[in-house]
Amino acid sequence: MSIEHLAETALAMVAPGKGIIAIDESNTTIKKRFDGVGIDCSEENRRAYRELLLTTPNLGDYISGAILYDETIRQATKDGTPFTQVMAANGVIPGIKVDKGPQPLAGFPGEVVTEGLDGLRARLEEYYRLGARFAKWRAVINIGDDIPTGTAIEANSHALARYAALCQEQGLVPMVEPEVIMDGSHDIDMCYEVTEVVLRSLFGSLYEHNVMLEGTILKASMVIPGTTSGENASVEEVAAMTLRCLRATVPASLPGIVFLSGGQSDHDATAHLNAMNMAGPHPWPLSFSYGRAMQSAALKLWSQDMQANYAGAQQTVFARARDNGLAALGQWQPGS
Ligand code: 13P
């Protein structure tokens, strides 16, 4: 696949004022989300919920792409239209989660490494045929006493680089996601330090594996205090620290950076993105690839009455897309 082709997809993913909706929860993760609001995690409910999200009227106004799960990319609306076809009609690029999740890293208590490289080439080939044009792989970096270790960081960077090279070989844009987890009592400076080391390691590995940055998207976590640190960082501080960290580590040739929400409230996720874009221009577009911060309100509403609240839940998805789309331009007004 030519680099021009990959670069074109990557640029479309971060088109001005647009971002990604992550709906690629594994069946285990979506069960947790459904349990939280009292919905039975049946295949039909998972399908119906993803249909609600993907058929949100005018979703494509603010959404450039959606990340799907293996089950979801094979599903269709109730009337039989494949989800990928619905997306194409709305100008939403299909993406696919291809990692198989984090597993404990042997010999390193508290640390994990993401699995899923075995057989990946064949899976990517199939996903391309099914319509996917980008793929996501999430590495998980935990902060705690004496962790992360260099070994865990390198193991995860190596896996990300091998996945990214395979994606490009098969014509898919890799969205590389090294998530520094918010849980923990660490302060914002520790989060900065870890994120900086992780990103340096990642871009070193991508270089070693001949990954073309022009056809790659970074999905980053923000630099933020640990959830149990008791520290309250202002929106401006999170924005400034995150920007400093990205500028120190991410090559300017990368077409774009999108953020995960990672457990931040809807408001915080939008406010942080907006503040970063107000402080621009930057070497790359900064946008969003939120899961929870795009869906939580809609899921809650839908769970209360699947029929009566259907349209209302879709309006909530649209409102979150619009708010985050505006934040990707630095034009969001709180309460608008
Ligand atoms: P959250 O925005 O809920 O963190 O999900 C984004 C994602 O895709 C994590 O891999």
Side-chain angles (χ1 to χ4, degrees), residues 27 58 119 136 144 253 286 314 329:
N27 285 353
N58 304 314
K136 187 194 95 171
S253 56
L286 298 177
Q314 289 189 321
L329 298 170

Side-chain angles (χ1 to χ4, degrees), residues 22-205:
I23 60 167
D24 60 328
E25 299 84 1
S26 64
N27 285 353
T28 318
T29 303
I30 198 71
K31 181 172 188 321
K32 270 188 235 158
R33 307 274 187 265
F34 278 9
D35 284 351
V37 292
I39 297 176
D40 176 37
C41 192
S42 62
E43 184 175 348
E44 173 50 21
N45 279 344
R46 292 194 296 268
R47 192 208 59 76
Y49 177 58
R50 268 66 180 253
E51 174 171 352
L52 179 154
L53 297 171
L54 291 171
T55 59
T56 294
N58 304 314
L59 189 65
D61 291 0
Y62 299 101
I63 295 294
S64 57
I67 319 174
L68 311 175
Y69 180 58
D70 181 74
E71 175 183 275
T72 321
I73 198 170
R74 303 167 196 281
Q75 288 176 324
T77 59
K78 210 168 183 55
D79 68 11
T81 314
F83 283 163
T84 49
Q85 210 168 304
V86 173
M87 295 167 75
N90 286 330
V92 175
I93 306 167
I96 180 79
K97 169 193 176 73
V98 300
D99 67 71
K100 297 217 165 165
Q103 292 295 329
L105 181 64
F108 291 83
E111 297 194 280
V112 291
V113 64
T114 300
E115 297 195 344
L117 288 172
D118 289 356
L120 182 57
R121 177 176 279 125
R123 288 199 290 131
L124 291 171
E125 238 169 43
E126 188 195 10
Y127 288 139
Y128 188 93
R129 259 187 281 119
L130 289 170
R133 289 297 175 268
F134 71 98
K136 187 194 95 171
W137 178 288
R138 172 173 174 257
V140 172
I141 304 293
N142 292 315
I143 304 183
D145 289 343
D146 300 323
I147 63 169
T149 60
T151 307
I153 292 171
E154 274 171 38
N156 278 291
S157 293
H158 180 257
L160 275 163
R162 285 198 51 205
Y163 132 86
L166 278 165
C167 283
Q168 294 192 332
E169 179 194 274
Q170 296 302 322
L172 289 113
V173 169
M175 177 187 273
V176 291
E177 180 184 13
E179 177 173 359
V180 177
I181 300 293
M182 275 167 63
D183 298 346
S185 56
H186 54 275
D187 61 12
I188 193 168
D189 293 325
M190 177 58 73
C191 181
Y192 180 97
E193 214 174 291
V194 169
T195 307
E196 182 173 14
V197 173
V198 164
L199 290 175
R200 272 193 205 294
S201 163
L202 171 63
F203 284 99
S205 293

Side-chain angles (χ1 to χ4, degrees), residues 12 14 68 76 211 213:
V14 290
L68 311 175
V211 174
L213 294 188

